[in-house]
Amino acid sequence: MADHRGSPQGMDRRRFLGYVLAAPTLMAAAELGGSAVAPEAAAAIPTLPPPADLFDLNDLLSTAAVPTSALITVQVHSDGTASFALPRAEVGQGVTTSTAMLIAEELGLPVEKIKITLADSRPELLFNQLTAASNTTISTYTPIRVAAAIAKGRLLAAAAIVLGDTVTNLTSKLGVITGGGGKSVTYGELAQRAASTRTEQVSVTLKPRSEFTVIGKPHNRIDALDAVTGRKVFAMDLRIPNALPTMVCRPPTINGKVRSVLNAAAVRAMPGITDVVTISTGVAVRGRTFGQCVDAVRALRVDWGKGTAAGASDASVLRELKAAELPLVVPPLPLLAKTLDAGFTFAFRSNSALEPNCAIADVRRDRAEIWGSLKSPIVAQQAIAAKIGLPQNAVRVHVTEGGGSFGRKLFFDAALEAAEISRTLGKPVKLMWHRTDDFRQGRTHPMCTSRLRATYAAGNVLTFEHRHTSVSTDFGHGLGEIITALAAKLPVGDFTFSQTVFQLTQTMPYNFGVTTQLLNEVNKGFNTGSMRNIYSPDVCCARELFVDQLAAKMGKDPYKFRQEFARDHRARAVLDKVAKVGNWGRAMPAGMAQGIAVHAEYKGFSAALVEIDCRPATVNRKIPSARTGPRVTKVVFAVDAGLAVNPRGLEAQMLGGISDGIALALTSSLHLKDGYFLEGSWDNYFYTRQWNVPKDVEIIVMPPTTGQPGGAGEFGVAASYAAVACAYTRATGTLPTTFPVNHDGPLGFDPLPTVPPIPQSPTDGLRNAF
């Protein structure tokens, strides 16, 4: 949690309690408490701080993690290395690298000597093993440093005895402790001597920021070499004895159910196929190779029951959303003020990761083992145990590294499915979803609408209303354990959960007088999820487009308008930075324009300036098998995320977020027709490709104004998404009301992808889904 009240040193000079744990070699842990603070606000007609300014989702997750912080430990080994089992998921965001940097800083070891693994599911951690909301670095920043600092203190005390010196005379560097007389001893030689035979409480003072040599310095990822040489291990790379490739034939409509399988015996007799079995989500086939499984799935003839979205289309869902929109309560006041209204629609979008959804399961009569990339492994373990009828402690869940997530791996559907198949067959399985499975039956970002209204007079905004209406967002993972997971699925609990998350994530960067931001959700028939920032990208896009329109109505420049009404000096700072570096207001040819936007979340701030080319020659350029259209030619992005543990990693996250923002604004969406999504893979989902990325990108990491890291992982999406939308509006002179802008083909494109429709005959299976 960011500390805006005191010196930039934040908590550096505070003392912390922790433990030296009984272990053969040195092991140390932390004990913590926490607090939250609110930012400043000042304007002629100030806006009251929304709940997220006072206590946001990150504060909630960090506070929930505090009671079990003493259960995560740093261990020093006799070979001079240190290790840490991180109770979070690494899915490409770089948390293993930043964690190694935290330990290296306090322990005084090179980063290369820190071994970071991913912890198995540990139910005793309660809420402290959930990877979500850009919270990993925030919630683990102090506990990990405390544990490492305690370990170093024990090493120094042991070295003082070995070297016959006092601790104050000792110096340590890169794993070697040297005494006043020049004699030295290594951490490895001290690992056993520094260990304790009993658990004891100790206190420690953390290193001040002024002495940092690792934290805050750019560092390459510790797994980069393995990633580029193919040695990085994912779930499908594991060789579990007798775990054969397994796939599932899925229904032609969302969440359809199997009524009967018409040719199971014939498919079971196909080359390499060992098993064909009906499960709750479809028909599973197990074979010697994945290719043989694909052939078997294609050959299956299944009689399917209707799903939860039978007959639904974009148009029918939109009608339902429009009917559920909460009213705007401030009426037009023509004698007192002017009123501006706007409304926007945001299509379904895929939450697929680059790595296909997958898991390995080996379920026996009395025990089970699961392997997979899981961001909520505790609730996964608990749900799997309930599904297969075993005690929780008989199920062991191993967390593997994942190839992307953005919220997708909060859901453990592949692991649960693999466990069900393995239990039914009595055999280990290596389950992989086909890419099309995830696009059509996997998680999506829900379709939603935003309505906005503002009243303004005498150069001020008097009222601002934002009504966001969404297809229901599934928070069935809860806060990472079974109680909140079950509560989030209850008829009232799910709505309460959504409202809580919305209010704890949506802040307001502007002083717009009396401000209300409200959420309503409808229709639980879709498999939705917390895709990258949950509500924020669409809410931010709608708000920033509206701010541009409001500025125009009030006769003000979009940048200067934002600067004038910004509630926080940090918001103004990122705006000023991108405006200056990006040369805001420069003359551009007709059909090209700049856009600017700001986003505030998790006590951090970001701003983007983009330039877009919407000229016909660019929009209609021909590239084989490509969806081209307008091209963003330049992005300047400034991010203030508090203290950036690894600025290089933060820059990489912002670059990925910018590509997401461009896709959300211009090209990427799912089209719903007759109860299924038409898109089947990345080739027709039209995510940002090389021919649509800007050639000129500059990421600016602002100097930290606080001694603590802030949430940053998703900042790149919302601000860039909104800035692209604003730039497109200015370049074309048309305010789009549906996103992405080519969802309905306004640029002259064929609005629907060229994917053969799934046959609707109940006996035709899923033959065209591959």
Side-chain angles (χ1 to χ4, degrees):
M1 291 163 284
D3 184 352
H4 301 280
R5 297 172 296 182
S7 72
Q9 297 297 322
M11 296 195 296
D12 285 341
R13 292 301 184 183
R14 284 173 53 186
R15 291 184 67 79
F16 294 87
L17 289 175
Y19 297 90
V20 176
L21 305 181
T25 58
L26 178 58
M27 185 178 291
E31 180 178 34
L32 296 173
S35 62
V37 295
E40 64 188 63
I45 306 179
T47 292
L48 292 176
D53 277 6
L54 305 175
F55 189 81
D56 63 25
L57 183 59
N58 251 302
D59 294 329
L60 174 65
L61 296 177
S62 298
T63 302
V66 165
T68 59
S69 61
L71 299 179
I72 59 176
T73 58
V74 172
Q75 188 167 8
V76 179
H77 304 282
S78 55
D79 63 356
T81 64
S83 65
F84 178 69
L86 178 65
R88 299 293 189 275
E90 171 64 83
V91 289
Q93 76 275 46
V95 292
T96 51
T97 300
S98 58
T99 297
M101 293 172 68
L102 297 178
I103 296 171
E105 185 69 78
E106 293 293 343
L107 195 54
L109 273 177
V111 172
E112 294 72 24
K113 286 195 172 185
I114 311 296
K115 174 67 173 178
I116 306 297
T117 57
L118 303 183
D120 289 349
S121 172
R122 296 180 58 190
E124 70 275 15
L125 291 178
L126 298 177
F127 308 107
N128 201 4
Q129 202 172 3
L130 179 71
T131 308
S134 301
N135 180 252
T136 294
T137 302
I138 295 175
S139 61
T140 63
Y141 176 73
T142 300
I144 290 173
R145 291 178 61 206
V146 169
I150 290 173
K152 183 176 181 181
R154 292 288 296 190
L155 290 166
L156 289 170
I161 297 173
V162 171
L163 299 176
D165 210 333
T166 63
V167 170
T168 55
N169 281 338
L170 303 179
T171 59
S172 66
K173 185 177 182 180
L174 302 179
V176 177
I177 298 176
T178 304
K183 292 191 296 181
S184 63
V185 62
T186 67
Y187 282 9
E189 294 169 320
L190 296 169
Q192 291 186 353
R193 288 178 177 271
S196 179
T197 57
R198 60 187 178 88
T199 298
E200 56 183 287
Q201 191 178 66
V202 296
S203 65
V204 67
T205 301
L206 298 180
K207 183 186 288 189
R209 271 178 57 197
S210 58
E211 297 178 11
F212 283 175
T213 60
V214 180
I215 295 175
K217 313 299 180 186
H219 199 285
N220 290 337
R221 290 180 58 128
I222 60 175
D223 57 355
L225 182 60
D226 284 348
V228 300
T229 57
R231 291 180 292 180
K232 193 172 173 68
V233 177
F234 300 94
M236 290 293 95
D237 298 317
L238 297 175
R239 296 185 179 275
I240 306 303
N242 300 316
L244 294 185
T246 303
M247 299 185 77
V248 175
C249 179
R250 301 181 190 279
T253 57
I254 295 169
N255 298 326
K257 296 296 182 183
V258 176
R259 287 199 287 246
S260 64
V261 182
L262 306 182
N263 63 339
V267 172
R268 195 176 292 113
M270 291 178 66
I273 299 304
T274 64
D275 301 275
V276 177
V277 63
T278 298
I279 60 171
S280 59
T281 54
V283 182
V285 295
R286 180 175 179 268
R288 298 294 173 185
T289 70
F290 280 112
Q292 291 169 333
C293 291
V294 168
D295 290 341
V297 168
R298 284 175 168 166
L300 278 166
R301 295 293 180 268
V302 182
D303 183 3
W304 296 102
K306 291 183 178 180
T308 56
S313 65
D314 283 346
S316 67
V317 175
L318 181 58
R319 286 194 297 270
E320 188 176 4
L321 290 171
K322 291 287 188 181
E325 289 177 342
L326 298 175
L328 298 166
V329 299
V330 178
L333 304 169
L335 298 180
L336 300 176
K338 295 182 179 179
T339 300
L340 178 66
D341 286 271
F344 305 95
T345 299
F346 304 94
F348 284 104
R349 283 138 294 177
S350 175
N351 197 183
S352 299
L354 282 179
E355 177 189 29
N357 205 22
C358 57
I360 300 173
D362 184 0
V363 178
R364 309 294 177 92
R365 182 183 59 81
D366 59 348
R367 68 189 187 278
E369 278 193 274
I370 311 294
W371 294 262
S373 177
L374 303 165
K375 298 178 76 172
S376 54
I378 294 175
V379 69
Q381 178 186 8
Q382 294 163 332
I384 289 169
K387 181 81 171 180
I388 62 179
L390 287 176
Q392 177 180 301
N393 60 7
V395 179
R396 189 173 181 185
V397 172
H398 307 283
V399 180
T400 63
E401 295 203 25
S405 172
F406 309 118
R408 177 63 179 94
K409 290 182 170 65
L410 281 165
F411 295 91
F412 44 88
D413 36 18
L416 191 65
E417 203 172 53
E420 180 186 358
I421 299 169
S422 181
R423 180 200 60 180
T424 304
L425 297 177
K427 303 172 184 179
V429 298
K430 179 181 281 191
L431 173 69
M432 181 174 68
W433 288 33
H434 191 280
R435 184 77 70 191
T436 302
D437 295 343
D438 216 15
F439 271 82
R440 288 180 172 157
Q441 297 287 347
R443 298 288 165 174
T444 70
H445 191 289
M447 189 176 188
C448 53
T449 66
S450 273
R451 290 182 63 204
L452 304 97
R453 174 177 293 170
T455 59
Y456 58 98
N460 272 301
V461 180
L462 308 179
T463 64
F464 177 88
E465 298 175 274
H466 194 156
R467 303 292 180 262
H468 194 69
T469 311
S470 175
V471 167
S472 182
T473 303
D474 187 349
F475 291 105
H477 46 74
L479 296 180
E481 44 62 65
I482 199 68
I483 296 176
T484 56
L486 290 174
K489 295 178 180 179
L490 295 174
V492 176
D494 58 351
F495 183 75
T496 302
F497 213 103
S498 295
Q499 292 293 333
T500 299
V501 171
F502 184 82
Q503 293 301 330
L504 293 186
T505 55
Q506 299 314 302
T507 186
M508 179 50 158
Y510 305 110
N511 278 303
F512 281 170
V514 179
T515 295
T516 57
Q517 300 179 100
L518 301 178
L519 169 73
N520 194 24
E521 292 194 330
V522 296
N523 196 328
K524 301 175 185 177
F526 295 91
N527 302 320
T528 59
S530 306
M531 176 182 162
R532 207 162 195 184
N533 269 80
I534 318 173
Y535 304 104
S536 295
D538 295 333
V539 170
C540 176
C541 180
R543 183 194 65 233
E544 294 298 297
L545 279 169
F546 190 73
V547 167
D548 262 20
Q549 301 304 303
L550 195 55
K553 292 290 186 181
M554 297 174 66
K556 297 185 179 183
D557 172 81
Y559 156 57
K560 293 180 179 178
F561 181 81
R562 287 172 170 83
Q563 186 189 51
E564 177 183 348
F565 285 91
R567 292 179 55 235
D568 194 290
H569 70 92
R570 294 169 68 200
R572 286 191 291 274
V574 291
L575 276 168
D576 291 345
K577 179 61 72 172
V578 298
K580 180 178 180 181
V581 175
N583 191 17
W584 171 261
R586 75 183 185 92
M588 302 190 74
M592 295 186 69
Q594 294 177 314
I596 195 167
V598 68
H599 179 59
E601 192 168 5
Y602 301 147
K603 310 221 172 25
F605 298 84
S606 61
L609 180 149
V610 308
E611 295 182 356
I612 196 168
D613 186 349
C614 294
R615 294 175 294 183
T618 298
V619 170
N620 299 314
R621 67 195 187 281
K622 301 299 182 182
I623 297 176
S625 302
R627 176 64 59 96
T628 53
R631 182 166 190 173
V632 175
T633 58
K634 179 177 181 177
V635 177
V636 179
F637 196 95
V639 56
D640 177 355
L643 175 62
V645 173
N646 183 10
R648 185 165 295 155
L650 178 58
E651 290 173 6
Q653 288 185 333
M654 297 306 102
L655 285 169
I658 289 168
S659 290
D660 272 7
I662 293 171
L664 292 173
L666 299 179
T667 58
S668 291
S669 62
L670 296 171
H671 293 78
L672 181 68
K673 182 180 180 181
D674 297 329
Y676 67 92
F677 292 114
L678 298 181
E679 283 76 8
S681 190
W682 296 101
D683 62 340
N684 51 43
Y685 180 64
F686 303 120
Y687 185 78
T688 307
R689 305 297 178 88
Q690 288 290 6
W691 51 80
N692 278 338
V693 296
K695 296 180 180 179
D696 185 358
V697 179
E698 183 169 357
I699 310 295
I700 302 163
V701 178
M702 302 292 283
T705 56
T706 170
Q708 298 294 299
E714 316 299 359
F715 276 174
V717 183
S720 57
Y721 177 14
V724 172
C726 291
Y728 174 86
T729 302
R730 299 183 77 212
T732 62
T734 302
L735 177 66
T737 57
T738 300
F739 287 92
V741 295
N742 77 344
H743 183 76
D744 295 321
L747 302 175
F749 299 135
D750 172 8
L752 299 181
T754 55
V755 180
I758 299 178
Q760 295 302 291
S761 167
T763 62
D764 231 0
L766 204 58
R767 298 189 66 184
N768 290 331
F770 290 92

